[in-house]
Amino acid sequence: MSDSEPNAESGADIDPDGEPTPVPIADPELSADARRRIEAVLADGRLADGPEVRRFEAEFAAYCNADEAVATANGTAALHATLEAVGLEEGDAVITSPFSFVASANAIRLAGGKPVFADIDPETYTLAPAEVERVLGERDDIVGILPVHLYGLPAAMPALCDLAAEHDLFVVEDACQAHGAKIDGRRVGRFGDAACFSFYPTKNMTSGEGGMIVTDRDDIADRAASYVDHGRQADGTDGYDHVALGHNYRLTSIAAAIGRVQLERLPEFNRTRRENAAYYDERLADLPLETPTEPAGTRHVYHQYTIRTAERDALKATLSERDVGTGIYYETPIHRQPAYETVSTAAARLPRAERAAQEVLSVPVHPGLSKRDRRTVVETVRDHFATQ
């Protein structure tokens, strides 16, 4: 995205020969301010973990209205470190979604646990509380729930947290796609024992690569901070004394500098994503497809604008012919991935997740879209159905 107004009507999406340029599924921006802050870090010389990372942690915690934040190398590292910090032990079972990027379930396995899949709500694509309750009624080895806020929409956290309290379970929110999303005015990241965010380039805000753990629990923050720094004491005063097993999951100062600028712009980015989503909602409402839902009390931040149709593959081909980027998130549910053939619940039938995987298609919704880009997306989708 350029530094110009995101939805300005301009010739920015026309090449020098007058031909329309492609409409990408994502378009991360590195602003001039971010470049200046990177240069300041380079001049300072503290390129790895340092004061810039501490400032980013403090600012992100404040944004989420959380007490503590721990920066990590990426979102997967944040999930893994958090599960280690909450005390997940070998063989412990954790309920999570089968309809997500594989990192959410991988982190459970990397921490020694067993992912147990519960089916999704077919409208929100997030964990269905009734399905979680059903699994809890069938098993006595569950120690936690790891809900995923998918596509920028919060999971049903009040109901899931009630189930967790009833069964004495921890809750770790996978908020890697939902920076700034809300339930009843509270930002995601404030409902569980801890929450994890990703700053991958396609996310609502980026640091190139990076992640963040937020929590109100000092014990989780301290253990996570130690784990991401080779098991050192969280206060950083122990030199080369390592009191526990850990990884090098630290965030760099350069990434933190980018993240701090992106965090300042996150409200603007989310506002533009919501405007683009509203544009699509209005103009696609009469077509034989499902547009995203926003349940009462929630605030969607549209990491993806995901439509649903039985004609998904044909529609994807039509969009591709017009150079409109698309994504299928996710074509294979986690429990059907080859890496999960040996997981105990891999053979489970989860029909809602399996059907969604056959029908979902994400179209560009990022802040870099021009008005012409948005029209191109809408006109292409409408033209496709008009010819069927």
Side-chain angles (χ1 to χ4, degrees):
M1 187 175 77
S2 70
D3 288 335
S4 61
E5 177 66 22
N7 285 325
E9 187 75 79
S10 70
D13 55 345
I14 299 295
D15 72 15
D17 297 322
E19 295 296 325
T21 58
V23 183
I25 188 65
D27 186 21
E29 174 199 4
L30 186 62
S31 67
D33 190 20
R35 292 185 176 90
R36 285 192 292 270
R37 294 203 194 181
I38 291 170
E39 290 171 358
V41 169
L42 294 173
D44 178 72
R46 287 175 285 187
L47 306 185
D49 190 36
E52 191 75 3
V53 178
R54 302 289 84 76
R55 287 189 281 268
F56 185 30
E57 289 171 333
E59 290 164 4
F60 198 83
Y63 175 80
C64 293
N65 197 27
D67 291 342
E68 304 281 352
V70 178
T72 64
N74 51 63
T76 306
L79 288 164
H80 182 193
T82 299
L83 290 167
E84 296 282 356
V86 298
L88 190 68
E89 297 181 352
E90 192 73 26
D92 283 346
V94 179
I95 296 176
T96 193
S97 174
F99 195 63
S100 171
F101 184 58
V102 72
S104 52
N106 279 357
I108 296 169
R109 296 177 69 185
L110 290 168
K114 297 184 299 185
V116 176
F117 300 109
D119 214 347
I120 61 170
D121 181 304
E123 293 186 359
T124 67
Y125 308 113
T126 62
L127 272 178
E131 292 298 309
V132 173
E133 187 172 22
R134 181 185 60 77
V135 172
L136 289 171
E138 296 173 351
R139 304 180 63 125
D140 60 5
D141 59 344
I142 306 296
V143 302
I145 306 175
L146 196 158
V148 180
H149 305 311
L150 198 69
Y151 302 148
L153 179 67
M157 293 310 300
L160 293 172
C161 288
D162 285 347
L163 286 171
E166 180 183 345
H167 293 269
D168 193 24
L169 311 175
F170 69 72
V171 176
V172 172
E173 299 171 62
D174 181 339
C176 290
Q177 299 184 4
H179 316 65
K182 295 179 180 180
I183 303 173
D184 295 331
R186 294 174 62 193
R187 288 198 172 109
V188 296
R190 295 303 321 286
F191 293 89
D193 295 278
C196 302
F197 294 82
S198 167
F199 305 127
Y200 186 73
T202 61
K203 300 298 170 66
N204 291 41
M205 61 169 285
T206 184
S207 60
E209 275 278 18
M212 193 75 74
I213 302 162
V214 299
T215 182
D216 287 340
R217 288 180 50 180
D218 292 343
D219 59 332
I220 291 177
D222 289 346
R223 287 197 292 266
S226 174
Y227 193 81
V228 304
D229 192 21
H230 293 292
R232 289 184 172 98
Q233 291 280 24
D235 61 13
T237 61
D238 60 324
Y240 290 100
D241 292 329
H242 302 269
V243 298
L245 187 66
H247 270 283
N248 178 2
Y249 280 167
R250 297 181 304 243
L251 186 71
T252 69
S253 296
I254 292 173
I258 298 170
R260 293 182 66 205
V261 176
Q262 289 272 305
L263 180 60
E264 292 171 1
R265 301 193 64 189
L266 180 58
E268 168 199 343
F269 291 155
N270 283 347
R271 184 167 53 251
T272 303
R273 286 176 180 272
R274 287 179 57 82
E275 290 171 358
N276 291 339
Y279 180 92
Y280 292 152
D281 285 346
E282 180 181 352
R283 290 159 179 81
L284 302 178
D286 62 324
L287 298 180
L289 54 77
E290 295 179 24
T291 55
T293 187
E294 189 176 50
T298 64
R299 183 178 187 272
H300 202 316
V301 292
Y302 296 97
H303 167 60
Q304 300 292 346
Y305 187 90
T306 300
I307 58 180
R308 183 169 183 169
T309 172
E311 298 184 23
R312 188 266 306 282
D313 293 342
L315 176 58
K316 177 178 172 63
T318 299
L319 288 159
S320 179
E321 290 170 0
R322 301 266 191 102
D323 282 333
V324 176
T326 59
I328 299 175
Y329 310 110
Y330 296 92
E331 194 165 17
T332 304
I334 299 173
H335 68 295
R336 297 301 188 206
Q337 293 284 352
Y340 278 75
E341 290 177 353
T342 60
V343 175
S344 62
T345 55
R349 185 170 182 272
L350 302 167
R352 295 172 180 174
E354 290 161 10
R355 183 179 174 190
Q358 297 172 353
E359 297 180 345
V360 295
L361 183 69
S362 296
V363 298
V365 74
H366 57 81
L369 296 177
S370 68
K371 290 183 178 180
R372 186 178 285 109
D373 289 335
R374 298 189 313 185
R375 285 203 307 271
T376 297
V377 173
V378 168
E379 289 169 0
T380 303
V381 173
R382 297 193 66 85
D383 287 350
H384 172 84
F385 284 103
T387 60
Q388 301 307 301

